[in-house]
Amino acid sequence: MKQIKYFLILMMAFSLSSCEILQQATELGSFAKCKFRLHTIEDLYLAGVRIQNKKSIADFNFLDAAKLTTAMTSKSLPLNFILNVEVENPNLKQAAMNKFIWQLFIDETEVTQGVLAQRLEISPNGTASLPLLMSVDLKEIFTQESGSSLLNLVFNLVGTGNEPTNISLKAKPTIIVANREVVYPGFITIKNEFN
């Protein structure tokens, strides 16, 4: 009799974990069918100085102008910003992921990559935002042929550019299924033009 009880308990535990595994796999499949859009760029900092919504050098205080001038002559010139990716779930089931591995391309050239390691759940017909922290060393990029593209993007972001910049994000969402990380096969590509 005890053996039957243990067997039933074991079967119930296996059944529950199988349902959970199936649910997690379904959530990743639903996530891959979501609609993605490069939504906004915010918190734009160059060498630690906020440059968003600045149109000319007159918009900076003396200390910030001095920091930028010093940074121009240093070995690195870090540009940091948050790229918000809007995710819309048109599915009838919840979409979810545990990690978002991404690569950022500007005019077809990869400029940075990273990982957002936080669980995101999107209810059916819901919308959510993925805030991706971007960090690019402009001095390093300017030595490559993509330097002019990135400079054009910076001008577009601060509102003084005159030529559109093509930005694309290639991403692989992952989900944890039965304590194992399952990576989506292939890439999800999200494109936008900033001007």
Side-chain angles (χ1 to χ4, degrees), residues 11-28:
M11 289 304 293
M12 283 179 40
F14 180 74
S15 171
L16 288 173
S17 74
S18 294
C19 289
E20 187 176 318
I21 290 170
L22 182 60
Q23 177 187 353
Q24 291 167 341
T26 302
E27 288 175 345
L28 180 60

Side-chain angles (χ1 to χ4, degrees), residues 38-155:
L38 300 179
H39 187 55
T40 58
I41 292 178
E42 58 186 42
D43 294 337
L44 189 63
Y45 285 86
L46 181 62
V49 176
R50 185 175 174 86
I51 61 171
Q52 196 158 348
N53 301 324
K54 307 281 195 224
K55 303 284 187 212
S56 72
I57 197 73
D59 293 338
F60 294 95
N61 64 38
F62 178 76
L63 185 59
D64 287 343
K67 279 184 192 176
L68 288 173
T69 303
T70 303
M72 296 292 183
T73 60
S74 68
K75 292 182 180 178
S76 69
L77 186 58
L79 174 68
N80 299 302
F81 58 94
I82 295 173
L83 176 61
N84 291 305
V85 177
E86 184 181 82
V87 185
E88 180 186 342
N89 181 7
N91 305 296
L92 298 175
K93 296 187 177 184
Q94 175 173 287
M97 62 103 209
N98 291 86
K99 191 187 321 184
F100 197 69
I101 304 164
W102 55 265
Q103 300 167 312
L104 180 69
F105 294 82
I106 297 177
D107 291 335
E108 308 301 321
T109 302
E110 182 179 345
V111 293
T112 189
Q113 57 184 297
V115 176
L116 176 67
Q118 77 179 47
R119 180 154 172 88
L120 178 71
E121 297 176 354
I122 309 163
S123 59
N125 297 312
T127 303
S129 182
L130 284 171
L132 305 180
L133 178 59
M134 304 284 163
S135 185
V136 178
D137 184 352
L138 294 182
K139 291 262 177 131
E140 186 178 307
I141 297 296
F142 286 142
T143 60
Q144 303 169 7
E145 61 184 60
S146 61
S148 61
S149 296
L150 190 58
L151 186 59
N152 186 52
L153 171 64
V154 172
F155 287 138

Side-chain angles (χ1 to χ4, degrees), residues 147-188:
S148 61
S149 296
L150 190 58
L151 186 59
N152 186 52
L153 171 64
V154 172
F155 287 138
N156 285 329
L157 294 177
V158 297
T160 60
N162 57 8
E163 192 176 313
T165 302
N166 294 309
I167 295 181
S168 61
L169 191 76
K170 288 188 177 182
K172 282 185 176 246
T174 66
I175 196 158
I176 305 297
V177 178
N179 294 325
R180 301 187 109 199
E181 193 173 271
V182 177
V183 180
Y184 180 76
F187 283 94
I188 296 170

